Amino acid sequence: VTEIGDYAFRDCSSLQSVTIGNSVTTIGYAAFYECSSLTSVTIPDSVTTIGEYAFNDCDSLTSVTIPDSVTAIGNFAFKYCSSLESVYCKPTTPPSIGNGVFDNNTSSRKIYVPAESVAAYQTASYWSNYVSYIVGYDF
């Protein structure tokens, strides 16, 4: 499996955890949309693209780790994840992101990025909307 297709697990309200295989390179449009019981996601190093609305409205999602390999995150990928507190974004170069990627998360959320890349994230297109949430981290 190299791709989790569009709408693959949409509305799977009982899905609590998911292990994404190391051969997956793309998480499709709304792949986990409204998986309201999903609590954490670690995306493997093989993934380069997280599609639009991929994890949108996953109310129970508290943590996500985005690996070095990710170069693009689509519009609203993590929007309305109202419990999302910790985003660990490992790429030293900010991935391109779309509109509203981290909107409507918990107000206490932190977006952890490589310490040497804080300024790059804070000034990158769309990342600049989250300046007050971006924190340097030693991965």
Side-chain angles (χ1 to χ4, degrees), residues 41-91:
V41 175
T42 300
I43 299 165
D45 290 333
S46 56
V47 172
T48 58
T49 304
I50 300 172
E52 293 184 13
Y53 297 91
F55 296 94
N56 188 291
D57 212 7
C58 291
D59 295 334
S60 298
L61 187 63
T62 60
S63 175
V64 64
T65 301
I66 299 168
D68 290 331
S69 56
V70 171
T71 58
I73 303 172
N75 293 330
F76 314 114
F78 297 96
K79 186 173 182 177
Y80 295 118
C81 294
S82 58
S83 299
L84 188 58
E85 294 179 348
S86 302
V87 176
Y88 296 93
C89 194
K90 293 182 174 183

